[in-house]
Amino acid sequence: MNTKEKQKYLEKAFKQYEAGILLLRHGFNNDSLSRLYYAFRSLAICIVGKPLKGKWKHPALMKKVIMEIDNKGLFPLSREERKLIKDFPDLREEADYDPIEIPEEKIQTYIKLVERFLREVKNYVEYSNQD
């Protein structure tokens, strides 16, 4: 994936993140979590690229992004962050399809994760643009 494509995914992630924050402010917890998930997904694609064919399966993309971060030595991930990343697709699915309300405290945890990835991936894209 070239730098221009990465930048487009990064811009998309920022918009999805902002939508997630706005939704949370207005009490739409589940919709907020879903937007935050898709912001993270866009950031993950910046790191791993598009699949050879088709589209990424959500759990496979989460595993792949962890592997790529480790293999490329991009930035350290804590055990907690790894667990949050692996659990993100299932939690997003619950938020979208199950009759439950995701607690704001849990969403705040994912906001912190997405904010960290926004910073790290922005640095990664800017650095890869220097090549």
Side-chain angles (χ1 to χ4, degrees):
M1 175 180 285
N2 66 40
T3 303
K4 191 173 185 175
E5 286 178 298
K6 289 178 186 177
Q7 287 172 330
K8 286 186 179 187
Y9 273 100
L10 183 59
E11 289 169 16
K12 183 175 184 171
F14 271 103
K15 287 180 182 178
Q16 291 166 320
Y17 164 78
E18 288 295 327
I21 297 299
L22 288 171
L23 287 163
L24 183 61
R25 283 189 195 142
H26 291 283
F28 297 100
N29 290 21
N30 290 9
D31 296 311
S32 171
L33 186 100
S34 186
R35 285 298 88 202
L36 292 168
Y37 171 79
Y38 283 104
F40 188 87
R41 184 182 180 281
S42 294
L43 295 166
I45 291 172
C46 282
I47 294 171
V48 303
K50 296 177 185 174
L52 296 177
K53 61 184 201 177
K55 294 184 178 186
W56 282 108
K57 302 267 188 230
H58 296 271
L61 178 59
M62 298 302 120
K63 289 177 185 171
K64 181 73 172 170
V65 76
I66 291 169
M67 283 178 30
E68 287 292 309
I69 289 168
D70 289 344
N71 291 343
K72 292 178 180 177
L74 297 179
F75 50 91
L77 288 174
S78 69
R79 183 174 286 141
E80 179 187 2
E81 288 171 323
R82 291 168 190 274
K83 180 163 178 25
L84 288 170
I85 293 167
K86 288 177 185 174
D87 292 346
F88 216 167
D90 289 337
L91 188 61
R92 192 273 316 163
E93 194 170 296
E94 285 177 31
D96 284 348
Y97 301 114
D98 294 346
I100 59 159
E101 183 78 8
I102 305 295
E104 185 173 343
E105 301 78 38
K106 188 153 203 85
I107 296 168
Q108 290 295 340
T109 303
Y110 279 96
I111 286 173
K112 289 177 187 165
L113 178 72
V114 173
E115 287 174 344
R116 174 158 190 238
F117 267 71
L118 284 167
R119 288 189 306 273
E120 298 287 1
V121 173
K122 183 177 184 279
N123 289 338
Y124 167 70
V125 170
E126 287 173 357
Y127 179 77
S128 64
N129 194 25
Q130 296 174 357
D131 293 343

